[in-house]
Amino acid sequence: LAPRRSGAARPSSAVVSVLGRLGERLGSKTMASDEAPGQDIFYVCKKSLETLKEKLKKGEEISLEAVNELAFPEKLADDEIMVPVDMRGVGEQFDDVEQMVEKLGAKGTAEAFIKAKEYFDANKDKEPEEERSKPMTAAEWKEVLAADIDDEGEEEDDLLEDEEEDLEDLEEEGNDEEGDGEPASKKAKTG
């Protein structure tokens, strides 16, 4: 999930891509080896989530910066705690935080993450505690993101190599058949 940052540089496309895939992959990389069907795990800063929850209770305004701090560990101290939330609790599907903010606003996005945390805590899938996604430090989360980016790069390299090999095979087949411009079946008959 990747929000637009007002006044700040956007994260690299690789980070955006990784964040977009967190719901699919992060839970299984962080101790939840048998992720429940349909589970959509995302990690947020625990302290930011608690701060937003308090602001909402008091009716205070929620800023986009506060939402960004919640979802992105880049500026957090390495020992900050990140907690898992299950985005199914939001009630609708979003591609990224930016889309959430566009549709729900900063306040609605904060409320959505609080609902996602409550949904995770409710454990409606009755997942065994030892298999559930666990809190981690911001440093650990950054490592998972970096490993995911490395994995994605390797996957892309493998795909490019496969495509190049396929192209070479097609070119070789084309060269075998071209020769003097006559189809291979006609060459055999006139030879």
Side-chain angles (χ1 to χ4, degrees):
L1 300 176
R4 180 174 295 149
R5 298 164 186 269
S6 43
R10 286 184 58 86
S12 73
S13 61
V15 170
V16 171
S17 175
V18 168
L19 291 173
R21 294 181 299 129
L22 278 177
E24 300 167 12
R25 299 177 67 184
L26 189 55
S28 62
K29 288 187 173 285
T30 60
M31 296 186 202
S33 57
D34 295 319
E35 191 172 299
Q39 197 171 26
D40 191 5
I41 298 298
F42 187 74
Y43 276 78
V44 297
C45 175
K46 180 180 180 180
K47 184 166 70 174
S48 296
L49 186 67
E50 290 169 353
T51 299
L52 287 173
K53 195 172 184 177
E54 284 302 310
K55 283 185 171 195
L56 286 167
K57 277 184 187 175
K58 295 176 183 176
E60 296 177 14
E61 189 169 324
I62 305 297
S63 68
L64 179 59
E65 289 76 25
V67 171
N68 287 342
E69 183 180 306
L70 174 74
F72 293 94
E74 291 106 357
K75 294 181 182 177
L76 296 178
D78 284 346
D79 61 346
E80 282 288 341
I81 300 298
M82 306 293 290
V83 293
V85 299
D86 191 333
M87 298 306 287
R88 293 180 296 173
V90 173
E92 59 185 292
Q93 201 69 18
F94 292 98
D95 293 333
D96 52 31
V97 174
E98 182 178 84
Q99 186 184 40
M100 287 176 72
V101 171
E102 285 174 12
K103 184 167 184 182
L104 305 175
K107 179 181 176 185
T109 301
E111 291 169 337
F113 277 114
I114 290 166
K115 286 179 188 175
K117 176 64 173 147
E118 291 168 354
Y119 190 93
F120 177 83
D121 290 345
N123 192 12
K124 295 183 181 203
D125 297 325
K126 308 234 183 303
E127 185 179 16
E129 193 59 37
E130 62 276 1
E131 293 178 12
R132 299 194 79 208
S133 296
K134 306 283 188 242
M136 65 175 81
T137 66
E140 291 169 326
W141 198 58
K142 291 173 192 176
E143 286 176 27
V144 170
L145 292 176
D148 231 9
I149 290 170
D150 290 344
D151 289 347
E152 180 181 275
E154 288 173 17
E155 288 172 12
E156 287 174 6
D157 289 346
D158 290 345
L159 286 174
L160 285 175
E161 286 174 17
D162 290 346
E163 287 175 12
E164 287 173 5
E165 288 171 9
D166 290 345
L167 185 58
E168 288 171 7
D169 290 345
L170 286 174
E171 287 173 355
E172 286 175 18
E173 286 175 17
N175 288 339
D176 289 346
E177 291 178 7
E178 285 178 14
D180 58 6
E182 294 182 3
S185 58
K186 190 165 185 176
K187 284 187 212 175
K189 291 179 183 173
T190 59

